[in-house]
Amino acid sequence: MPDSIPAQETKAITWREHLYEIIFEADTPAGKVFDICLLITILLSVLVIMLESVDSIESRYAKQFGFAEWFFTILFTIEYGARIISARRPLRYIFSFYGVVDLLSILPTYLISFYYQDSDQIHRLAVIRAVRLLRAFRIFKLGHMLSGAAELRAALWATRSKITVFLATVVIAVVIEGAALHLIEGPENPGFSSIPEGMYWAIVTMTTVGYGDVTPETPLGKCLASIIMILGYSLIIVPTGIVTAELAHAGNKLKSGIITTQVCPECMREGHDPDATFCKFCGSHL
Amino acid sequence: MPDSIPAQETKAITWREHLYEIIFEADTPAGKVFDICLLITILLSVLVIMLESVDSIESRYAKQFGFAEWFFTILFTIEYGARIISARRPLRYIFSFYGVVDLLSILPTYLISFYYQDSDQIHRLAVIRAVRLLRAFRIFKLGHMLSGAAELRAALWATRSKITVFLATVVIAVVIEGAALHLIEGPENPGFSSIPEGMYWAIVTMTTVGYGDVTPETPLGKCLASIIMILGYSLIIVPTGIVTAELAHAGNKLKSGIITTQVCPECMREGHDPDATFCKFCGSHL
Amino acid sequence: MPDSIPAQETKAITWREHLYEIIFEADTPAGKVFDICLLITILLSVLVIMLESVDSIESRYAKQFGFAEWFFTILFTIEYGARIISARRPLRYIFSFYGVVDLLSILPTYLISFYYQDSDQIHRLAVIRAVRLLRAFRIFKLGHMLSGAAELRAALWATRSKITVFLATVVIAVVIEGAALHLIEGPENPGFSSIPEGMYWAIVTMTTVGYGDVTPETPLGKCLASIIMILGYSLIIVPTGIVTAELAHAGNKLKSGIITTQVCPECMREGHDPDATFCKFCGSHL
Amino acid sequence: MPDSIPAQETKAITWREHLYEIIFEADTPAGKVFDICLLITILLSVLVIMLESVDSIESRYAKQFGFAEWFFTILFTIEYGARIISARRPLRYIFSFYGVVDLLSILPTYLISFYYQDSDQIHRLAVIRAVRLLRAFRIFKLGHMLSGAAELRAALWATRSKITVFLATVVIAVVIEGAALHLIEGPENPGFSSIPEGMYWAIVTMTTVGYGDVTPETPLGKCLASIIMILGYSLIIVPTGIVTAELAHAGNKLKSGIITTQVCPECMREGHDPDATFCKFCGSHL
């Protein structure tokens, strides 16, 4: 096996393989430069969308925003095309999570240009473009260089069964509490006119957000709300304990492991060990 | 002992014992299918009650909801009957926690049909039906398959003495804080007109819910409230520490143990080890 | 040493020493009964004060409350006298924390009877009686039976230097944040008219209470508030970490030690080990 | 090595070196007295600025506050001069963090005396003086005596990569949530009129502050807000876990090390071990 790897590396690398390394991986200098440029471009594009949504700014710089919008859209379209060309299995990329996000981040601008007649309609659709912000998640491909991300993900994944049990308990508690306060406060308080409204209040209360848009008004309602707050607070601290205990264990386990940014060319998955030669998910050569 | 168990298993199983295994346990395939069906039925029934409480939906689909209501009630009545028949000690089941919840989940619909004269009365009683939501707790019989639930329960149980001391401290702090702010803010602020009102404010503040329906207005009140917030916040983090420390310890202990979903046929309690032959609570054969 | 202790125990116990054991300690059956009775009496007395503060209840049962008030006051006065008589060093008891609380819990009722002329005045003073609630802290003498209380106290005490550093950081952050928002929002927003007002807002925000009675209104203020919330949230999680880490360590250390409820007859301090023969604070014989 | 240190200590100490030890270090008795005096002076000065900002107090004691202001400014100017003189590399001190803070804490008073003409202008500038509060951070030079501060700093520093990944996730979540609620609530609710406004709401909600100045009003908005609250709460507990796990590890490591208050005379950095002879940052002799 140690013989076969150098043998393979001396193979001539085609331009597609070269492009693949730049776009999908961040181990080579060119790949790092590409990812940092992409990160900055995405941040700027998100900033433009954010400023665009503020009416007072939009009315002033409408033209500049329109230009920036098209500039970023064309840039991301070229990038999307390059990804499809360089990927060994283009269809897998297209239907992977990041493939769908990449497409969704360029589609709205093209869709708007087709329905240009009614200006009000455009404004409404422009809001939908915000979904494009999801592309910012690609930053985490860089994040992989930080060993912290992998460790966090592993610890959170290890606690999934406990977190599920906990969330189920919270949801059941929310339903019962919402129904109880609807029963008590319902007739007098418009904020508790139905069980779903009561559940909204219960969630706002149990997560300690406490907007105050819906509050109990009757003495019995206040009394029950107080009990819910104290018990709810006791309940909601549990996941903190779960995650912390897991992280304390994980800290020992994962401290030795450094994870590369290599993406499997077959199944597009990440998280391979630095000494891995084959993808641990699909078995194809890395 | 290893001889006696196969010997017992070869005994002829009556239909009642078969029914018992399906309804009360989730180890056999039939038992799992039953539990999943029950879970879906309960979720649907809860959803119907929730939608029923929304006036705009209720006025439209009143008939359909009435039908669904009776459908679920009859289904759960049959299930309740089957549980009584199959249980080895029916009275123990009836007065167990789940037995009472099972009865409460079907009773309101029957009670309503007796008082059918006044439609307003019915609507009021319909709200009481929400107690039936408690039946959703039976989901946790499935939850036992996740080892997480047992671990969580064990860790929380181990911290009960510390949590009790902590809750007692919080309650005393709430009484004193409520009285102090009633004393300071009382004359000017209607939100602090009595000690119980002040205690409601103290709980809302110390749990960091902070509705804002009652807030201090005098400089002295604001100053004291600030100290309560900082000290209160320091106080309320303590249980997080307690639970986390316990979970970190428990994580090591319980990682090896897998707990079965077997329910003791005598005392209806759960949480037996997989190699247990006798119930650890009442000593009867499992 | 094992010889000297039985020798001492055979000494004739005077009635004062007997009274001391009943009132100040909870190790003997008589002492436990006394403490539980005291606990119930205090709870009832607190309940009476709470209900008294509600105007609608007070106006109805004013006479009964007045009687209950005097009943509890006389009972606690007798108890206070018994404590002074039985204590080996009465002055030390009187000026100890619990001694002062015991006095404060009976004084207001006597003071009121002197100023009986103006009924409005009485009502005002009645509120001051709420300080008597502090006596409920004596419950923790019972709490000592729970090993949890001692463990918690030890862990919290061990973290005092870190908690002090943390609280100092929070206070400085609150001053700077309050001044910054006073600077930005001050001219337009009456809720930020002075630095102390800004500090009140900063504390309400950093402890995540968030009443909403004072909120930033300018874009710059909202932007700064958002940064304060995220950084503040990151800051406030630190003590949780500190306490938890300490509790995890303490859990190992203290699991073996059981602490008695013995109170030193000389210095009135608690927390002695079960095998202690002499007070660890003042060296006198237990 | 044990020979060389006493040899160096017998060297004649000049008055500048003596001044340096008093002002910059807290190991000698004179240094400690200086630091405590400085701490009290800063606290008093901060208190004066705070009270000055309250209009009702300012209008009464304007003269006294003006005098106190100049008294503290001159005191801190003398101290600033002494620091420049005694520091081995004055320029390094001036451009160090504390050097800049020291200058900023005296500058505003001098600037105000130049623009004395317009009284309204002065009032505005007076608010800027609040930046001087930053000087209170110098208290932490004393804080070094507490080993807690160093431990905390080390633990927080060790978690920087994980906290960065976490904060990035939160910021992305906030952008997407803000855009989503702007999309849903925007047309009807003025509180969600732009994406930045939606982001402000998302931060207020995810940090569980929950002012209630902006709340969702449509059923879909409330539903999405509920999911954001539960998921957001689950997300925000992660850093608690990270910090706690790190502190639990750090507790074992750092328990042995006591850190001195020595400041490197060359690079002005702190945190040297007690047995260090050379600065670990710049290599110069301590």
Side-chain angles (χ1 to χ4, degrees):
Chain A
M1 208 150 87
D3 296 75
S4 69
I5 296 163
Q8 197 200 14
E9 274 175 354
T10 54
K11 262 194 351 186
I13 296 166
T14 65
W15 66 269
R16 266 183 62 189
E17 277 169 351
H18 197 68
L19 196 64
Y20 177 85
E21 260 189 1
I22 292 169
I23 298 179
F24 283 96
E25 285 168 32
D27 292 327
T28 59
K32 270 182 197 171
V33 166
F34 176 81
D35 271 12
I36 289 162
C37 288
L38 188 63
L39 181 60
I40 293 163
T41 319
I42 293 167
L43 281 176
L44 282 174
S45 143
V46 167
L47 205 74
V48 163
I49 298 168
M50 270 167 55
L51 293 174
E52 223 175 342
S53 77
V54 183
D55 281 345
S56 61
I57 298 171
E58 165 70 5
S59 59
R60 248 199 194 160
Y61 302 102
K63 241 182 193 167
Q64 286 91 326
F65 282 139
F67 173 76
E69 192 50 51
W70 275 109
F71 173 76
F72 288 124
T73 304
I74 289 161
L75 217 71
F76 293 139
T77 310
I78 293 165
E79 186 221 334
Y80 184 62
R83 277 179 195 273
I84 292 175
I85 290 165
S86 69
R88 282 191 218 171
R89 292 195 179 185
L91 277 176
R92 270 228 180 139
Y93 160 68
I94 290 166
F95 294 107
S96 73
F97 175 71
Y98 282 122
V100 172
V101 170
D102 288 346
L103 185 65
L104 283 174
S105 70
I106 51 170
L107 226 63
T109 319
Y110 291 116
L111 286 174
I112 290 159
S113 62
F114 284 119
Y115 299 90
Y116 209 80
Q117 301 91 325
D118 186 10
S119 64
D120 267 40
Q121 193 81 349
I122 296 156
H123 192 255
R124 268 304 194 29
L125 277 163
V127 175
I128 302 165
R129 281 184 233 169
V131 183
R132 216 180 321 164
L133 296 167
L134 274 165
R135 102 175 44 126
F137 264 120
R138 280 183 307 207
I139 296 159
F140 280 92
K141 279 183 195 163
L142 280 171
H144 272 264
M145 281 186 292
L146 304 159
S147 70
E151 204 175 313
L152 248 179
R153 215 179 291 181
L156 291 179
W157 183 246
T159 60
R160 68 193 177 284
S161 78
K162 276 186 243 174
I163 294 290
T164 307
V165 170
F166 170 75
L167 281 183
T169 315
V170 168
V171 168
I172 291 167
V174 160
V175 172
I176 292 169
E177 287 163 17
L181 267 116
H182 166 56
L183 197 143
I184 295 167
E185 294 270 328
E188 287 124 56
N189 197 334
F192 293 96
S193 62
S194 69
I195 293 176
E197 298 253 13
M199 283 167 66
Y200 169 72
W201 169 85
I203 288 169
V204 168
T205 300
M206 286 189 75
T207 57
T208 77
V209 170
Y211 286 135
D213 52 349
V214 185
T215 51
E217 279 161 19
T218 60
L220 188 58
K222 281 183 177 182
C223 191
L224 197 68
S226 298
I227 293 163
I228 287 171
M229 277 176 231
I230 287 182
L231 289 187
Y233 198 90
S234 306
L235 196 67
I236 218 122
I237 58 166
V238 172
T240 313
I242 296 167
V243 170
T244 306
E246 194 53 45
L247 276 169
H249 283 132
N252 300 325
K253 261 189 289 170
L254 273 150
K255 224 143 223 176
S256 53
I258 304 142
I259 285 162
T260 60
T261 61
Q262 272 203 309
V263 181
C264 171
E266 294 295 324
C267 68
M268 298 284 150
R269 289 216 237 170
E270 300 167 339
H272 305 294
D273 292 334
D275 56 353
T277 316
F278 295 93
C279 172
K280 63 178 169 181
F281 300 110
C282 70
S284 61
H285 208 285
L286 289 172
Chain B
M1 209 148 87
D3 297 74
S4 69
I5 296 165
Q8 197 200 15
E9 273 176 355
T10 54
K11 265 192 350 185
I13 296 166
T14 64
W15 65 269
R16 265 183 63 190
E17 276 168 352
H18 197 67
L19 195 65
Y20 177 84
E21 261 188 1
I22 291 168
I23 297 179
F24 282 96
E25 286 169 31
D27 291 326
T28 58
K32 270 181 197 171
V33 166
F34 175 81
D35 271 12
I36 289 162
C37 288
L38 188 63
L39 181 60
I40 293 163
T41 318
I42 293 167
L43 281 175
L44 283 175
S45 144
V46 167
L47 205 75
V48 164
I49 297 168
M50 269 166 56
L51 293 173
E52 222 175 341
S53 77
V54 183
D55 282 345
S56 61
I57 298 171
E58 165 70 4
S59 59
R60 247 200 196 159
Y61 303 102
K63 239 181 193 168
Q64 287 89 329
F65 283 140
F67 173 75
E69 192 50 51
W70 274 108
F71 173 76
F72 288 124
T73 304
I74 289 161
L75 217 72
F76 293 139
T77 309
I78 293 164
E79 186 221 333
Y80 184 64
R83 276 180 195 271
I84 291 175
I85 290 165
S86 69
R88 281 191 217 170
R89 293 194 178 186
L91 278 175
R92 270 227 179 138
Y93 161 68
I94 290 166
F95 294 107
S96 72
F97 175 71
Y98 283 121
V100 171
V101 170
D102 287 345
L103 185 65
L104 283 174
S105 71
I106 51 170
L107 225 61
T109 319
Y110 290 116
L111 286 174
I112 291 161
S113 62
F114 284 119
Y115 300 91
Y116 208 81
Q117 303 91 326
D118 185 10
S119 65
D120 266 39
Q121 194 80 349
I122 296 156
H123 192 255
R124 267 303 194 31
L125 278 164
V127 176
I128 301 164
R129 281 185 230 168
V131 183
R132 216 181 320 164
L133 297 167
L134 274 165
R135 99 173 48 126
F137 264 120
R138 281 184 307 209
I139 296 161
F140 280 93
K141 279 182 194 164
L142 279 171
H144 272 266
M145 281 187 290
L146 304 159
S147 70
E151 204 175 313
L152 247 179
R153 215 179 290 182
L156 290 178
W157 183 246
T159 61
R160 68 192 178 285
S161 79
K162 276 186 244 174
I163 294 289
T164 307
V165 170
F166 170 74
L167 281 183
T169 315
V170 168
V171 168
I172 291 167
V174 160
V175 172
I176 291 169
E177 287 164 16
L181 266 116
H182 166 55
L183 196 144
I184 295 167
E185 294 271 328
E188 285 125 56
N189 198 334
F192 293 97
S193 62
S194 69
I195 293 176
E197 298 254 13
M199 282 167 66
Y200 169 72
W201 170 86
I203 289 169
V204 168
T205 300
M206 286 190 75
T207 56
T208 78
V209 170
Y211 286 135
D213 52 349
V214 184
T215 51
E217 280 162 17
T218 60
L220 188 59
K222 281 183 178 183
C223 191
L224 197 68
S226 298
I227 294 164
I228 287 170
M229 277 176 230
I230 287 182
L231 289 187
Y233 197 90
S234 306
L235 197 68
I236 219 122
I237 59 167
V238 172
T240 313
I242 296 167
V243 171
T244 306
E246 194 53 46
L247 276 169
H249 283 132
N252 300 325
K253 260 189 291 170
L254 273 150
K255 224 142 223 177
S256 53
I258 304 142
I259 285 161
T260 59
T261 60
Q262 272 203 309
V263 181
C264 171
E266 294 295 324
C267 67
M268 297 284 151
R269 289 214 237 170
E270 299 168 339
H272 306 295
D273 292 332
D275 56 352
T277 316
F278 295 93
C279 172
K280 64 178 167 181
F281 301 110
C282 69
S284 62
H285 208 286
L286 288 172
Chain C
M1 208 149 88
D3 298 72
S4 70
I5 295 164
Q8 197 200 15
E9 272 175 356
T10 54
K11 265 192 347 187
I13 296 165
T14 64
W15 65 269
R16 265 184 63 191
E17 276 169 351
H18 197 68
L19 196 64
Y20 177 85
E21 260 189 2
I22 292 169
I23 297 179
F24 282 95
E25 285 168 32
D27 292 327
T28 57
K32 270 183 197 171
V33 166
F34 177 82
D35 271 12
I36 289 162
C37 289
L38 189 63
L39 180 61
I40 292 163
T41 318
I42 293 167
L43 282 175
L44 282 175
S45 144
V46 167
L47 205 74
V48 164
I49 297 168
M50 270 168 55
L51 293 174
E52 223 175 342
S53 76
V54 183
D55 282 346
S56 60
I57 298 171
E58 166 69 5
S59 59
R60 247 199 196 161
Y61 302 102
K63 238 181 194 169
Q64 286 89 328
F65 283 138
F67 172 77
E69 192 49 52
W70 275 108
F71 173 76
F72 288 124
T73 304
I74 289 160
L75 217 72
F76 293 138
T77 309
I78 293 164
E79 186 222 333
Y80 185 62
R83 278 181 193 272
I84 292 175
I85 290 164
S86 69
R88 282 191 218 170
R89 294 195 177 184
L91 277 176
R92 272 230 178 137
Y93 160 67
I94 290 166
F95 293 106
S96 72
F97 175 72
Y98 283 121
V100 172
V101 170
D102 287 345
L103 186 65
L104 284 174
S105 70
I106 51 171
L107 226 63
T109 319
Y110 291 115
L111 286 174
I112 291 161
S113 62
F114 284 119
Y115 300 90
Y116 208 81
Q117 304 91 323
D118 186 9
S119 65
D120 266 38
Q121 193 81 349
I122 296 155
H123 192 257
R124 268 305 193 30
L125 278 164
V127 175
I128 302 164
R129 279 185 231 168
V131 183
R132 214 181 322 162
L133 297 168
L134 273 164
R135 102 175 44 126
F137 264 120
R138 281 185 306 210
I139 296 160
F140 280 92
K141 279 184 194 162
L142 281 171
H144 273 265
M145 281 186 291
L146 303 159
S147 70
E151 203 176 313
L152 247 179
R153 216 180 289 183
L156 291 178
W157 184 246
T159 61
R160 69 191 176 285
S161 78
K162 276 186 244 175
I163 294 289
T164 307
V165 170
F166 170 75
L167 280 183
T169 315
V170 168
V171 168
I172 291 167
V174 160
V175 172
I176 291 169
E177 287 164 16
L181 266 116
H182 166 55
L183 197 144
I184 295 167
E185 294 270 329
E188 285 124 57
N189 198 334
F192 293 97
S193 62
S194 69
I195 293 176
E197 297 254 12
M199 283 167 66
Y200 170 71
W201 170 85
I203 289 169
V204 168
T205 300
M206 286 190 75
T207 56
T208 76
V209 170
Y211 286 136
D213 53 349
V214 184
T215 51
E217 279 161 17
T218 61
L220 188 59
K222 281 182 177 181
C223 190
L224 197 69
S226 298
I227 294 164
I228 287 170
M229 277 175 228
I230 287 182
L231 289 187
Y233 197 91
S234 306
L235 196 67
I236 218 122
I237 59 167
V238 172
T240 313
I242 296 167
V243 171
T244 306
E246 193 54 45
L247 276 169
H249 283 132
N252 300 326
K253 260 189 291 172
L254 273 150
K255 223 141 224 178
S256 53
I258 302 143
I259 285 161
T260 58
T261 60
Q262 271 202 311
V263 181
C264 171
E266 294 295 323
C267 68
M268 297 285 150
R269 289 215 237 170
E270 300 168 338
H272 306 294
D273 292 334
D275 55 354
T277 317
F278 295 94
C279 172
K280 62 178 169 181
F281 300 110
C282 69
S284 62
H285 209 287
L286 289 171
Chain D
M1 207 150 89
D3 297 74
S4 69
I5 296 165
Q8 196 199 16
E9 274 176 354
T10 54
K11 264 195 348 189
I13 296 165
T14 64
W15 66 269
R16 265 184 63 191
E17 275 169 352
H18 197 67
L19 196 64
Y20 177 85
E21 261 188 2
I22 292 169
I23 298 178
F24 282 96
E25 285 168 33
D27 292 327
T28 58
K32 270 183 197 171
V33 166
F34 175 82
D35 271 12
I36 289 161
C37 288
L38 188 63
L39 181 60
I40 293 162
T41 319
I42 293 167
L43 282 176
L44 283 175
S45 144
V46 167
L47 205 74
V48 164
I49 297 168
M50 270 166 56
L51 293 174
E52 224 175 342
S53 77
V54 183
D55 282 345
S56 60
I57 297 171
E58 165 70 4
S59 59
R60 248 200 194 159
Y61 302 102
K63 240 181 192 168
Q64 286 90 328
F65 283 139
F67 172 77
E69 192 50 51
W70 275 108
F71 173 76
F72 288 123
T73 304
I74 290 162
L75 217 72
F76 292 139
T77 310
I78 293 165
E79 186 221 334
Y80 184 62
R83 275 178 197 274
I84 292 176
I85 290 165
S86 67
R88 281 192 217 169
R89 293 198 177 182
L91 278 175
R92 272 229 178 137
Y93 160 68
I94 290 166
F95 293 107
S96 72
F97 176 72
Y98 282 122
V100 171
V101 170
D102 287 346
L103 186 63
L104 283 174
S105 71
I106 51 171
L107 226 63
T109 319
Y110 291 116
L111 286 174
I112 290 160
S113 62
F114 284 118
Y115 300 90
Y116 209 80
Q117 303 91 323
D118 186 9
S119 65
D120 267 40
Q121 193 80 349
I122 296 155
H123 192 255
R124 268 307 194 27
L125 277 163
V127 176
I128 301 164
R129 279 185 232 169
V131 182
R132 215 181 322 164
L133 297 168
L134 273 165
R135 102 174 45 126
F137 264 119
R138 280 184 305 208
I139 296 160
F140 280 92
K141 278 182 194 163
L142 281 171
H144 273 265
M145 281 188 290
L146 305 159
S147 69
E151 205 175 312
L152 247 179
R153 216 179 290 180
L156 290 179
W157 183 245
T159 60
R160 70 193 176 284
S161 78
K162 276 186 243 175
I163 293 289
T164 307
V165 170
F166 169 75
L167 280 182
T169 315
V170 168
V171 167
I172 291 167
V174 160
V175 172
I176 292 169
E177 287 163 16
L181 266 116
H182 165 56
L183 197 144
I184 295 166
E185 294 271 329
E188 286 125 56
N189 198 333
F192 293 96
S193 63
S194 68
I195 293 176
E197 298 254 13
M199 283 167 65
Y200 169 72
W201 169 85
I203 289 170
V204 168
T205 300
M206 285 190 75
T207 56
T208 75
V209 170
Y211 286 135
D213 52 350
V214 184
T215 51
E217 280 161 18
T218 60
L220 188 58
K222 281 182 177 182
C223 190
L224 197 67
S226 298
I227 294 163
I228 287 170
M229 277 175 228
I230 287 181
L231 289 187
Y233 198 91
S234 306
L235 197 66
I236 217 121
I237 58 167
V238 172
T240 313
I242 295 168
V243 171
T244 306
E246 193 53 46
L247 276 169
H249 283 132
N252 299 327
K253 261 189 290 170
L254 273 150
K255 223 142 222 175
S256 53
I258 303 142
I259 284 162
T260 59
T261 62
Q262 272 202 310
V263 181
C264 171
E266 294 295 323
C267 68
M268 297 286 150
R269 290 215 236 169
E270 300 167 339
H272 305 294
D273 292 333
D275 56 353
T277 317
F278 295 93
C279 171
K280 63 178 168 181
F281 300 111
C282 69
S284 61
H285 208 286
L286 288 171

